[in-house]
Amino acid sequence: MSDASFPYDGPEDLRQPVTAALSRVVDPEVALNIVDIGLVYGVRIEADRLELRLTMTSAACPVADVIVDDAAAELERVLPAEIGVEVELVWEPAWTPERMSERARRFMRW
């Protein structure tokens, strides 16, 4: 599991399954999960919907659609059926390497 964190607003019993699901989503360009890279900007869960705010390392990321689809699929696997998933791709604030976890920094040798 990742040592990185992101803002989470939702039922406490879903925090760990949601974090684990997002940690299974790998950015194929860097071979690291999106939590460790720092691409997850926040999760909010309301009665019937999970809102995921996600960014990419670059607006020109060629695998953005793959990452968004994988994140939604992993979340749908762990959420109750009545909770839908909505992914918002955001660009502010811009991603920087400082968002990476220590694990990701070691992997990248930074």
Side-chain angles (χ1 to χ4, degrees):
M1 180 84 57
S2 169
D3 64 349
S5 63
F6 52 85
Y8 175 86
D9 180 15
E12 199 54 41
D13 63 322
L14 290 177
R15 180 189 297 264
Q16 191 281 330
V18 164
T19 301
L22 293 172
S23 294
R24 288 190 294 270
V25 178
V26 173
D27 180 332
E29 290 194 306
V30 293
L32 287 169
N33 75 67
I34 64 173
V35 175
D36 279 331
I37 299 169
L39 301 182
V40 179
Y41 278 14
V43 171
R44 185 167 78 195
I45 302 174
E46 295 178 343
D48 63 348
R49 153 179 98 183
L50 178 146
E51 297 173 359
L52 169 63
R53 294 183 69 238
L54 192 62
T55 196
M56 298 295 133
T57 57
S58 161
C61 179
V63 294
D65 290 342
V66 171
I67 294 171
V68 167
D69 291 347
D70 288 353
E74 286 295 335
L75 289 167
E76 288 168 354
R77 289 180 50 202
V78 301
L79 292 171
E82 66 272 8
I83 298 179
V85 175
E86 186 177 304
V87 180
E88 178 185 6
L89 199 52
V90 298
W91 303 107
E92 295 294 327
W95 180 88
T96 65
E98 288 76 31
R99 294 193 51 83
M100 293 191 308
S101 70
E102 285 303 314
R103 179 180 174 275
R105 290 174 198 269
R106 285 191 305 273
F107 181 83
M108 302 289 285
R109 298 178 189 201
W110 289 11

